[in-house]
Amino acid sequence: MAHSILIVDDDADTRSLLGAFLTDQGFGVCAARNGRHAFQMLERISPPSLILLDYKMPVMNGTQFLAAKRRNLRLQAIPVIIMSAWTREWTGTRLDVVDVLSKPMDLDRLLALVMRIIAVPGVPVASSPTQSPADSVSAG
């Protein structure tokens, strides 16, 4: 059974690019347009292996999502990676997340991080071609 990843981002292009990339790597992918939509999805699906969470979104942003996730026993243990174009000095431990990736994202770095977090032998890891600026995820 493939491990699943929930992508939570208000930018449709980001959801599409990351979804296609991670699907090509052998992961099951679901996508939500904001934190509230993610919680609606999480009520209907099995808990994912990992959540990729945009930090700045309308309706329910990353901070609000993380606070609600901490209160939900079913979801507390799911690791989260923050993705954001908002640059500031922060660390994953300060936010209670595994890591923080800046946009535009390096897809090779993202894949290495996902594989380390999920740590599943046998999940295919396709080699990624050298990333051009056009391959980066740059939406906020």
Side-chain angles (χ1 to χ4, degrees):
M1 179 171 151
H3 284 268
S4 64
I5 298 173
L6 175 61
I7 300 167
V8 186
D9 199 302
D10 61 318
D11 182 77
D13 290 339
T14 298
R15 291 190 310 267
S16 178
L17 174 67
L18 288 178
F21 175 73
L22 292 167
T23 298
D24 287 349
Q25 304 306 314
F27 295 99
V29 175
C30 292
R33 62 187 170 275
N34 57 55
R36 184 182 305 156
H37 184 223
F39 271 103
Q40 291 168 347
M41 292 182 73
L42 288 164
E43 290 174 4
R44 299 186 322 261
I45 65 173
S46 296
S49 303
L50 175 67
I51 297 172
L52 299 177
L53 179 68
D54 187 18
Y55 193 71
K56 295 187 86 172
M57 297 177 288
V59 185
M60 179 187 264
N61 65 30
T63 300
Q64 295 163 328
F65 177 88
L66 290 170
K69 178 185 166 290
R70 277 190 292 275
R71 293 188 300 267
N72 187 311
L73 293 175
R74 182 175 170 258
L75 306 177
Q76 283 177 350
I78 301 170
V80 175
I81 297 173
I82 291 283
M83 314 176 293
S84 186
W86 186 36
T87 55
R88 63 180 272 181
E89 294 295 320
W90 57 4
T91 64
T93 53
R94 181 170 175 224
L95 294 170
D96 194 26
V97 298
V98 176
D99 209 338
V100 178
L101 295 178
S102 297
K103 293 179 183 177
M105 285 192 317
D106 176 331
L107 295 178
D108 289 331
R109 180 172 178 232
L110 171 65
L111 181 59
L113 185 56
V114 167
M115 295 303 293
R116 181 174 56 85
I117 292 166
I118 294 177
V120 178
V123 173
V125 181
S127 59
S128 229
T130 304
Q131 182 180 5
S132 71
D135 292 334
S136 296
V137 178
S138 61

